[in-house]
Coordinates of all heavy atoms in Angstrom, one line a residue:
Chain A
R767 N 113.0 -196.2 -94.6 CA 112.7 -197.5 -94.2 C 111.2 -197.7 -94.0 O 110.7 -198.7 -94.5 CB 113.3 -197.9 -92.8 CG 114.9 -198.0 -93.0 CD 115.5 -198.7 -91.7 NE 116.9 -198.4 -91.7 CZ 117.9 -199.2 -91.1 NH1 117.4 -200.4 -90.6 NH2 119.1 -198.9 -91.1
V768 N 110.6 -196.7 -93.5 CA 109.1 -196.7 -93.4 C 108.5 -197.0 -94.7 O 107.6 -197.7 -95.0 CB 108.6 -195.4 -92.5 CG1 107.1 -195.4 -92.8 CG2 109.0 -195.6 -91.1
F769 N 108.9 -196.0 -95.6 CA 108.2 -196.0 -97.0 C 108.8 -197.1 -97.9 O 108.0 -197.4 -98.8 CB 108.3 -194.6 -97.6 CG 107.7 -193.6 -96.9 CD1 108.3 -192.5 -96.3 CD2 106.4 -193.6 -96.9 CE1 107.7 -191.5 -95.5 CE2 105.6 -192.6 -96.1 CZ 106.3 -191.5 -95.6
R770 N 109.8 -197.7 -97.5 CA 110.1 -198.8 -98.3 C 109.4 -200.2 -97.8 O 109.5 -201.2 -98.5 CB 111.6 -199.2 -98.2 CG 112.4 -198.2 -99.0 CD 114.0 -198.6 -99.2 NE 114.1 -199.8 -99.8 CZ 115.3 -200.6 -99.8 NH1 116.3 -200.1 -99.2 NH2 115.4 -201.8 -100.4
A771 N 108.6 -200.0 -96.8 CA 107.8 -201.2 -96.4 C 106.3 -200.7 -96.2 O 105.9 -200.7 -95.1 CB 108.4 -201.7 -95.0
P772 N 105.8 -200.3 -97.2 CA 104.4 -199.8 -97.1 C 103.3 -200.9 -96.6 O 102.4 -200.5 -96.1 CB 104.0 -199.4 -98.7 CG 105.0 -200.1 -99.5 CD 106.2 -200.3 -98.7
V773 N 103.7 -202.3 -96.8 CA 102.7 -203.2 -96.4 C 102.5 -203.1 -94.9 O 101.5 -203.4 -94.3 CB 103.1 -204.4 -97.0 CG1 102.3 -205.6 -96.4 CG2 103.2 -204.5 -98.4
I774 N 103.7 -202.9 -94.2 CA 103.6 -202.7 -92.8 C 102.7 -201.5 -92.4 O 101.8 -201.8 -91.4 CB 105.0 -202.6 -92.1 CG1 105.8 -203.9 -92.4 CG2 105.0 -202.1 -90.7 CD1 107.2 -203.9 -91.7
L775 N 102.9 -200.5 -93.0 CA 102.0 -199.2 -92.7 C 100.4 -199.7 -93.0 O 99.7 -199.4 -92.1 CB 102.6 -198.2 -93.5 CG 101.6 -196.8 -93.3 CD1 101.8 -196.4 -91.8 CD2 102.3 -195.8 -94.1
L776 N 100.3 -200.3 -94.1 CA 99.0 -200.7 -94.4 C 98.5 -201.7 -93.5 O 97.2 -201.6 -93.0 CB 98.9 -201.2 -95.9 CG 99.0 -200.2 -97.0 CD1 99.2 -200.9 -98.3 CD2 97.9 -199.2 -96.9
G777 N 99.3 -202.6 -93.1 CA 98.8 -203.6 -92.2 C 98.5 -203.0 -90.8 O 97.5 -203.4 -90.1
A778 N 99.3 -202.1 -90.3 CA 99.0 -201.5 -89.0 C 97.8 -200.8 -89.2 O 97.0 -200.5 -88.2 CB 100.3 -200.5 -88.8
T779 N 97.6 -200.0 -90.3 CA 96.2 -199.3 -90.5 C 95.1 -200.2 -90.4 O 94.1 -200.0 -89.9 CB 96.4 -198.5 -91.8 OG1 97.4 -197.8 -91.9 CG2 95.1 -197.7 -92.0
A780 N 95.2 -201.4 -91.2 CA 94.2 -202.3 -91.1 C 93.9 -202.8 -89.8 O 92.6 -203.0 -89.4 CB 94.5 -203.5 -92.0
L781 N 94.8 -203.1 -89.0 CA 94.7 -203.5 -87.6 C 94.0 -202.5 -86.8 O 93.0 -202.8 -86.1 CB 96.1 -203.8 -86.9 CG 96.1 -204.1 -85.4 CD1 95.5 -205.3 -85.1 CD2 97.4 -204.0 -84.8
T782 N 94.4 -201.2 -87.0 CA 93.7 -200.1 -86.2 C 92.3 -199.9 -86.6 O 91.3 -199.8 -85.8 CB 94.3 -199.0 -86.6 OG1 95.9 -199.1 -86.3 CG2 94.0 -197.8 -85.4
V783 N 91.9 -200.0 -87.9 CA 90.6 -199.9 -88.2 C 89.8 -201.1 -87.8 O 88.7 -201.0 -87.4 CB 90.6 -199.8 -89.8 CG1 89.0 -199.7 -90.3 CG2 91.3 -198.5 -90.3
G784 N 90.5 -202.3 -88.2 CA 89.7 -203.5 -87.9 C 89.2 -203.6 -86.4 O 88.1 -204.2 -86.2
L785 N 90.0 -203.2 -85.5 CA 89.6 -203.4 -84.1 C 88.5 -202.5 -83.8 O 87.6 -202.8 -82.9 CB 90.9 -203.0 -83.2 CG 91.7 -204.3 -82.8 CD1 92.8 -203.9 -81.8 CD2 90.8 -205.3 -82.0
T786 N 88.3 -201.4 -84.5 CA 87.2 -200.5 -84.3 C 85.8 -200.9 -84.8 O 84.9 -200.4 -84.4 CB 87.6 -199.1 -84.6 OG1 87.7 -199.0 -86.1 CG2 88.8 -198.6 -84.0
V787 N 85.9 -201.7 -85.9 CA 84.8 -202.0 -86.7 C 83.7 -202.7 -85.8 O 82.5 -202.3 -85.7 CB 85.1 -202.8 -87.9 CG1 83.8 -203.4 -88.5 CG2 85.8 -202.0 -88.9
P788 N 84.0 -203.8 -85.0 CA 83.0 -204.4 -84.3 C 82.3 -203.5 -83.3 O 81.0 -203.6 -83.1 CB 83.7 -205.5 -83.4 CG 84.9 -205.7 -84.3 CD 85.4 -204.4 -84.9
L789 N 83.1 -202.7 -82.5 CA 82.4 -201.8 -81.6 C 81.6 -200.7 -82.4 O 80.5 -200.2 -82.0 CB 83.5 -200.9 -80.8 CG 84.1 -201.9 -79.8 CD1 85.0 -201.1 -78.9 CD2 83.1 -202.7 -78.9

Side-chain angles (χ1 to χ4, degrees):
Chain A
R767 291 187 198 216
V768 170
F769 290 117
R770 281 187 65 188
V773 177
I774 289 184
L775 183 57
L776 287 175
T779 305
L781 171 69
T782 311
V783 175
L785 267 180
T786 61
V787 169
L789 290 187

